[in-house]
Structure formats: C-alpha cells, structure tokens
C-alpha cells in the first residue's frame, strides 16, 4: 500500500511538470501570435501542447490537493502556508477552467486577434504561475526552502477579509457567473 505522503509527492510532481510545460507552451503561443517568433507552423503545435498539458495538470490537481490534506501534519489547514497553498491551487484551477471554457466556446477564434490571444495566453500563464507558486509554498512548508526563496514571498501571512467584504466578493462573483452564463446562452441562440 502506498502512503499518502508518497502519493502526494507523485501527484504533485505530475501537476508541477504538466503546468510547467503548459506555461512554456502558452509563452511560446503568445510570442508566436504577437509575431515575436516568426514560425507560423509552430502555432498549432504549441496550442495543442499548452491545452493538453493544462488539462493533464488540472486532472491531477485534485489528487495532489486531497493527498496533501491527508498527509499534512495536524488537523487540516492549521498553517498559514497550507491556507495559501489551498488559495493558490484553487486560483490556478479557476484560471485553467477559464482557459478551457474560452477555448471551447471561441474555438480557433481565440487566436484571431492579438488582444484575444494575449488575454488567453496570459490567463493560461496565470494558471501555471499559481500552480508553481503552490508548489513553492509546499517546499517552504515541508523543507523550509523553495526555488523562489530569492523573492522572499510571504507564504506565512494569510490575507483574510472581513465577512462583509467576503460577502460582497461572493455576490459579485455569483453575479458575474450568471451574467456570463446568460451571455453565453444568448450568443449560442443567435447561431
């Protein structure tokens, strides 16, 4: 039987590897669509790699999160670093899901203009960056060091909002989801 700590290491490495490759691919997609790189025949390749590895990393993320919670010392989220890891991984998942929804809804037209390509690639890079920050926080929590120690990131400080501000944020988020859903349905009914 495999221990939860070992399973967490394996699933975390899958997530980090997939999101790293995805981030590099989104960076190349951005450079290709802004004509910094002049290899037009590379566009479909990096588009496919970016989205496939993002999907793979997204599929492995719940395993990393759940195994991390079960293997952490103590009773769940008792450390500010673990709270930040949870926040960063959920933000990364949200960005990744947003990338997939936009790619699915817009298909190839997501690459039609430099503005849409820039927004799409930036969102993909934000998903990858959030997951890599999560992994860095995990290294800080487990070993007391990470690759990003040179940046002196405040992993041990948790940004907490008062209940009123959290409620306003929740209401805005739900409102934006409803508006987005209505707009998606209105667009699809026109076609």
């Amino acid at each position: 039987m495999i221990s939860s700590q070992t399973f967490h290491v394996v699933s975390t490495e899958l997530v980090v590897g997939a999101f790293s490759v995805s981030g590099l691919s989104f960076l190349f997609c951005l450079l290709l669509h802004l004509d910094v790189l002049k290899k037009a025949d590379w566009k479909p390749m990096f588009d496919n790699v970016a989205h496939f590895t993002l999907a793979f990393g997204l599929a492995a993320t719940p395993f990393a999160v759940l195994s991390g919670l079960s293997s952490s010392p103590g009773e769940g989220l008792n450390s500010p670093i673990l709270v930040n890891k949870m926040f960063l991984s959920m933000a990364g998942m949200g960005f990744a899901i947003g990338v997939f929804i936009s790619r699915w809804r817009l298909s190839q037209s997501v690459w039609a203009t430099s503005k849409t390509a820039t927004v799409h690639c930036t969102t993909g890079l934000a998903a990858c960056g959030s997951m890599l920050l999560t992994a860095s926080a995990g290294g800080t929590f487990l070993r007391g060091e990470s690759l990003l120690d040179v940046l002196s990131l405040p992993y041990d400080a948790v940004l907490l909002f008062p209940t009123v501000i959290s409620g306003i944020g929740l209401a805005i988020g739900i409102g934006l989801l409803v508006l987005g859903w209505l707009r998606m349905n209105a667009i699809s009914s026109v076609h």
Side-chain angles (χ1 to χ4, degrees), residues 3 7 20 23 47 58 112 117 128 181:
S3 70
F7 185 72
S20 296
D47 178 26
L58 191 59
C128 299
W181 184 261

Side-chain angles (χ1 to χ4, degrees), residues 41-183:
D41 54 329
W42 287 2
K43 287 180 182 181
M45 176 186 63
F46 282 115
D47 178 26
N48 291 334
V49 171
H51 289 92
F52 177 79
T53 53
L54 190 68
F56 184 80
L58 191 59
T61 298
F63 297 107
V65 170
L66 294 175
S67 64
L69 286 175
S70 67
S71 67
S72 68
E75 306 256 342
L77 297 175
N78 58 355
S79 166
I81 296 175
L82 292 178
V83 173
N84 284 327
K85 280 184 64 170
M86 184 63 79
F87 170 73
L88 287 168
S89 65
M90 294 300 118
M93 285 179 67
F95 283 129
I97 291 168
V99 166
F100 282 117
I101 290 174
S102 66
R103 183 66 169 86
W104 172 62
R105 295 292 293 178
L106 298 175
S107 186
Q108 286 295 325
S109 65
V110 76
W111 306 116
T113 67
S114 62
K115 182 180 177 182
T116 58
T118 301
V119 169
H120 189 71
C121 290
T122 304
T123 307
L125 287 168
C128 299
S130 296
M131 288 304 185
L132 296 178
L133 282 172
T134 302
S136 178
T140 301
F141 178 73
L142 190 61
R143 295 179 305 276
E145 64 180 0
S146 76
L147 282 174
L148 299 179
D149 281 346
V150 295
L151 301 178
S152 300
L153 297 172
Y155 292 124
D156 55 349
V158 178
L159 182 63
L160 296 175
F161 293 110
T163 307
V164 174
I165 294 176
S166 295
I168 291 170
L170 180 64
I172 289 171
I174 291 172
L176 289 172
L177 282 172
V178 169
L179 286 174
W181 184 261
L182 292 174
R183 186 157 188 232

